[in-house]
Structure formats: C-alpha cells, structure tokens
Amino acid sequence: MTDTLQIDIQPIEKSRIDTVDFNNLVFGRSFSDHMLSVDFASGEWQTPQIIPFGDITFSPAMMSLHYGQAIFEGMKAYKSPEGDILVFRPEENWKRLNKSAVRMCMPEVPEEIFMEGLSELLRIDSEWIPAKEGCSMYIRPFMFSTDEYVGVSPSKTYKFMIFTCPVGAYYTKPIRVRVETKYIRAAHGGVGFSKNAGNYGASLYPTKLASDAGYDQIIWTDASEHRYVEEAGTMNLMFIIDDKLVTAPTGDTILDGVTRKSVIQVARDMGVEVEERPLSIKELTEGIVSGKVQEVFGAGTAAVIAPISTVGYEGVDYELPERPADAFSRKVYTEIDNIKTGKITDTRGWVMKI
Ligand code: COI
C-alpha cells in the first residue's frame, strides 16, 4: 500500500534484471520486473495493482481485439546524476491519454491513478532505469476494452496498464523517409490526433512497401490532396528552412507530440523563429535542392530527435546535407536531453522527480 492511493503490490520472487545486457539495449525487447494493472468495472476504477510483468489471459471475444478500443502512450524516465528518478512531462501524456479515451469512447483515467501508479512502479523497478548515455526507461501506459461480447458498442469494462522497458536508441542512424502519396493516415473528423492502436496498424502496409523500396519510414501527407506534410509513422516531423523551425500545425489529423511541443518551446527560448504551418511537398523538395531546407528531423518520445538523411518522392531521392556541429537538431537534442537527465536546471517545470 502507498500513502495516498491504495495500490496492492505483489512483488516478484526473483528479479530478471541479471538476464538483461544493459550495455547493448535494443528498443522494446526487455521488460522490467513489474507492471501496473487497473480494472474499470461497474462504472468505476478498481484498486490498482502492481504485479509481476507477465502474460495476461483474456477471452477470444474480448472486444478490443475486434472493435479496436485500444489506446496507448509513450514516456521516458531517467536517473539524474544524484540518483533521482526523473520523468519527462508525464502530465502531458496523462492529458493526451484521456483525449484519446474520450474519442474512442473509453473512460478517462484519474490523474491520481496515472501519476501514483507510475511513480510506485518506477520506484519498485528503479534498478532497471539505465544510467548509460543515450539510454532510458521507456514507459508504456495503455488501455483496452475487456468485455466478452460480440457486437459493435462501447465495452463496459477496461484495463489500464503500465509496463516499462530499459531501452537504447529507436533509430541508430539518420533515416531515409518516403513521401506517401497513395495511402492516408488520417482525415478530418477521424482519429488521427488520438494515440489509438489502429492508427499504427493502418500504417504497417504502406510502411512495408516503403521499406521494400529501401526506406526506413514514410511521410504521411494530407488525405485530400497528398500535398502537405503531416507526420511520420513514428514521430512528428520538423524542418529547418532559412534558419526557421517549420512544422505542421496540430489539428485533428496530427498527433500533438510531447517532444514536438518541447522542441518548439526550446527553439523559441533559443531565439529561433517557429512557423507552425502547412508545408507542401513541393516547397520541401525544391527547398532541399536549393539548399533553403537545411535540416529535416523527426521528434518523438521513442525516436527523440531523429535526423533524416533522405526524402524520397515520386522515385527521386532528395538528399539532405550532413549536419554541421552547430545544427539546430543537435543543439535542441542536447538541451532537452540535459533537462530530462537532470544535468541542467529544469526552468520550465517539465521534469517530475520521484
Ligand atoms: C513513442 O514515441 O513513444 C511512440 O509511441 C511511437 C512508437 C513508434 C514507439
């Protein structure tokens, strides 16, 4: 039990931590000892439980498998030089989870359950938080419907869970992206702004086609004309054009990324002009050729700041120049990394210390 919220804790008998090579962490393959699990039933959230990480059983008729009520978040925790556990902007993820929940007709998760459940889980598995440069503890909160029922309607029961994974880099080198001009990710009035599992499922086929053609990721374009940049499959997209930071405005088709908004804030604080505006593929490709487009990079929790080396469009590869030592994407990465890891003072109130 914790001081404020009651959490039932069932600790593991023997830790698996010795089986993990912390010097060679691959993203998303190792899972810490415990997980948080909270059921929603009879119209209310039940007592949260922290239990050993492991398989869960469910009915083949569990509704989320059929009708897609499944949402998730991604966050990261770090160890400060003093050994404190630091989580980067968890409130933003809690708010976004609940926006997704409303759109997908699911119950909202109370702040107390999200924050205290997360804090207790990180405390209990604190040994799993990597201290190595470039590594972190990836946190995956998620919720899915659990009713056993065949019929399209909102479930009456849900499970909210959090598990954590010590991770290295999601992308280990600058990536090649292809502009998608046939398939779409999101249309106005749809669910593009929500972080629901189906958005990612729908991205797999076009991303596989791009991968077969030698690219790592796709750039989604708008659903009506395929003319404007939206986001990539795993992150928001950002551009340095004529020394300004340009990125697509968030709306109902674009995920309101926490790293995206952090980059924008840091850019403004550095005196870099920011333009949140539609960017056409024409402006992008012509700008790469003329040199007006100086940098292209992705921004996301998993991807952090992911430099892009090549933009493929209609069979032509547009190559970005090598990033100079003072590239904006390097400076913003360093600033945000220093805040997250407690190496510099967090003047913006972004870090939650546990
Ligand atoms: C994240 O950045 O946390 C995501 O959820 C994206 C996913 C590709 C790992």
Side-chain angles (χ1 to χ4, degrees):
M1 264 193 35
T2 54
D3 290 348
T4 38
L5 175 76
Q6 186 195 329
I7 301 179
D8 290 343
I9 299 175
Q10 184 197 323
I12 39 111
E13 281 171 15
K14 186 175 177 330
S15 175
R16 289 176 287 101
I17 197 161
D18 292 344
T19 64
V20 176
D21 179 0
F22 278 76
N23 287 317
N24 293 295
L25 285 172
V26 179
F27 199 101
R29 295 280 176 202
S30 307
F31 304 94
S32 318
D33 281 331
H34 296 88
M35 59 189 186
L36 176 82
S37 177
V38 197
D39 287 324
F40 182 88
S42 310
E44 56 187 15
W45 288 101
Q46 309 295 307
T47 303
Q49 295 184 313
I50 289 180
I51 52 179
F53 177 89
D55 295 351
I56 50 178
T57 56
F58 48 80
S59 161
M62 182 171 75
M63 290 182 79
S64 50
L65 296 178
H66 305 265
Y67 312 115
Q69 279 183 299
I71 59 176
F72 70 99
E73 278 299 320
M75 297 187 278
K76 279 184 175 166
Y78 302 81
K79 277 259 175 77
S80 76
E82 293 75 37
D84 293 316
I85 302 171
L86 306 178
V87 190
F88 189 66
R89 308 193 77 176
E91 243 191 71
E92 294 292 332
N93 295 89
W94 166 67
K95 286 187 201 152
R96 191 174 62 187
L97 180 85
N98 282 341
K99 274 192 195 152
S100 301
V102 170
R103 179 63 180 85
M104 300 303 288
C105 214
M106 301 166 86
E108 293 178 64
V109 176
E111 185 169 11
E112 195 187 27
I113 289 182
F114 189 97
M115 293 302 172
E116 293 192 26
L118 170 67
S119 301
E120 198 53 37
L121 183 66
L122 288 173
R123 254 183 232 123
I124 219 167
D125 281 339
S126 64
E127 292 297 306
W128 287 79
I129 304 175
K132 199 171 166 225
E133 188 76 32
C135 295
S136 59
M137 181 77 122
Y138 185 77
I139 302 164
R140 171 50 59 85
F142 60 110
M143 193 206 316
F144 54 98
S145 61
T146 53
D147 271 12
E148 184 184 49
Y149 175 64
V150 176
V152 182
S153 62
S155 176
K156 291 188 175 57
T157 62
Y158 296 86
K159 209 180 254 303
F160 169 63
M161 303 188 78
I162 306 181
F163 64 72
T164 61
C165 332
V167 296
Y170 193 84
Y171 293 118
T172 50
K173 58 177 177 45
I175 60 169
R176 293 166 48 79
V177 295
R178 181 165 85 170
V179 176
E180 179 55 55
T181 53
K182 177 174 179 190
Y183 299 97
I184 62 158
R185 176 181 177 277
H188 290 302
V191 293
F193 69 91
S194 80
K195 205 160 168 69
N196 77 85
N199 283 344
Y200 293 81
S203 76
L204 298 178
Y205 182 63
T207 308
K208 182 195 175 297
L209 297 180
S211 167
D212 291 347
Y215 298 92
D216 303 295
Q217 253 304 320
I218 52 181
I219 293 187
W220 289 113
T221 49
D222 66 285
S224 44
E225 296 180 276
H226 291 298
R227 233 172 99 187
Y228 295 99
V229 170
E230 297 242 305
E231 61 181 77
T234 47
M235 54 201 178
N236 294 110
L237 289 169
M238 310 198 113
F239 308 84
I240 298 294
I241 304 178
D242 285 336
D243 295 324
K244 293 179 199 146
L245 176 66
V246 178
T247 191
T250 54
D252 60 356
T253 64
I254 292 184
L255 194 77
D256 187 7
V258 179
T259 308
R260 176 190 178 280
K261 65 175 69 158
S262 306
V263 170
I264 289 174
Q265 188 60 54
V266 169
R268 290 200 169 114
D269 295 347
M270 282 175 171
V272 173
E273 206 176 309
V274 178
E275 292 180 354
E276 291 183 72
R277 64 167 171 90
L279 172 69
S280 70
I281 301 300
K282 185 167 184 289
E283 181 183 346
L284 173 61
T285 49
E286 288 180 0
I288 295 176
V289 172
S290 72
K292 279 163 82 78
V293 175
Q294 299 145 287
E295 294 178 57
V296 180
F297 59 95
T301 297
V304 193
I305 301 295
I308 288 170
S309 60
T310 309
V311 175
Y313 178 57
E314 291 185 336
V316 179
D317 278 349
Y318 295 85
E319 304 291 346
L320 273 299
E322 285 270 311
R323 288 188 307 161
D326 66 345
F328 172 80
S329 54
R330 288 188 199 275
K331 287 194 284 196
V332 81
Y333 169 83
T334 305
E335 176 74 8
I336 293 179
D337 190 65
N338 284 342
I339 299 168
K340 286 172 166 178
T341 52
K343 290 193 199 108
I344 60 172
T345 310
D346 167 29
T347 54
R348 302 175 183 90
W350 283 351
V351 168
M352 178 171 95
K353 195 199 282 193
I354 292 179

